[in-house]
Amino acid sequence: MSNAPVNNGRRRFLTAATSVVGGVGVVGVAVPFIGSWNPSARAKAAGAPVEVNVSKIEPGQLIRAEWRGKPVYVVRRTEEILSSLSAHDGQLKDPQSEVPQQPVYATNAFRSIKPEFLVALGVCTHLGCAPTYRKGDFEQEVAGVKDGFFCPCHGSKFDMAGRVFQSVPAPTNLMVPEHSFPNDSTLLIGVSEGEA
């Protein structure tokens, strides 16, 4: 052992320097760790509203959008389709949409804000398959109904308001997501009418 005197100033300096370096290290590790608790940009986008330009959709045409990882069908219904919706109410499980598969503002005969546009999740309520849009040849599935949606996996059938027919596996109507029309050419999926 050395008999040299203890340099308290140097000891305090080394203790302070070590504490500062250790504190910086803790902050350097804590910042990314705490930042990892925030949702990723991809996760934020998955729940974000989706904007759809509806001005170019032709009458009778279906376009698909994706919202929260699910397909959304947007159909511009013709006057003929709209006038024929009530003709087959007796063949439907829930013609008045009493089961809440849509926002309150879409609980009407058309299940939409604007009658000419159907906005519905393209996911069968039976097992989650994707029903196909049958334009003009749906009578092969349901007599007297010209247009509709048919799920080829298990045979579920939906009309042009997304309402399910009787005697099929699907228990409820197609889900109508929250949506709004900020202007005549824009559909916003994921935002209710009053929130836009």
Side-chain angles (χ1 to χ4, degrees):
M1 291 238 200
S2 171
N3 289 336
V6 175
N7 186 344
N8 285 332
R10 185 174 179 187
R11 187 173 276 179
R12 280 192 288 268
F13 171 76
L14 288 174
T15 302
T18 304
S19 297
V20 167
V21 170
V24 168
V26 167
V27 169
V29 170
V31 168
F33 177 70
I34 292 171
S36 72
W37 294 349
N38 294 327
S40 67
R42 186 176 180 187
K44 288 177 185 176
V50 173
E51 193 172 294
V52 178
N53 182 351
V54 295
S55 64
K56 296 186 172 138
I57 302 175
E58 298 293 324
Q61 181 184 4
L62 173 139
I63 65 166
R64 290 171 181 83
E66 186 175 329
W67 177 67
R68 293 187 177 175
K70 296 178 183 170
V72 177
Y73 294 169
V74 180
V75 181
R76 186 171 203 161
R77 297 180 281 205
T78 63
E79 286 298 323
E80 180 186 358
I81 290 172
L82 293 173
S83 63
S84 69
L85 282 177
S86 61
H88 54 266
D89 281 0
Q91 298 174 274
L92 301 170
K93 285 185 183 178
D94 185 12
Q96 304 306 315
S97 300
E98 293 172 4
V99 176
Q101 289 290 97
Q102 64 280 324
V104 174
Y105 52 81
T107 306
N108 53 45
F110 308 108
R111 299 186 73 227
S112 64
I113 296 171
K114 290 186 173 186
E116 70 179 301
F117 290 107
L118 168 66
V119 180
L121 290 185
V123 178
C124 181
T125 56
H126 177 227
L127 291 177
C129 304
T132 56
Y133 177 43
R134 301 283 296 272
K135 180 182 175 187
D137 68 345
F138 192 66
E139 287 184 283
Q140 296 174 9
E141 307 303 330
V142 178
V145 182
K146 188 176 169 186
D147 304 296
F149 298 93
F150 176 69
C151 186
C153 301
H154 301 100
S156 293
K157 303 164 194 164
F158 304 90
D159 75 351
M160 289 304 295
R163 300 175 300 175
V164 67
F165 284 90
Q166 296 174 7
S167 303
V168 298
T172 57
N173 297 336
L174 292 178
M175 180 75 98
V176 174
E178 292 182 345
H179 63 282
S180 58
F181 289 89
N183 56 54
D184 288 341
S185 63
T186 306
L187 164 66
L188 198 55
I189 302 168
V191 176
S192 288
E193 192 173 32
E195 299 173 12

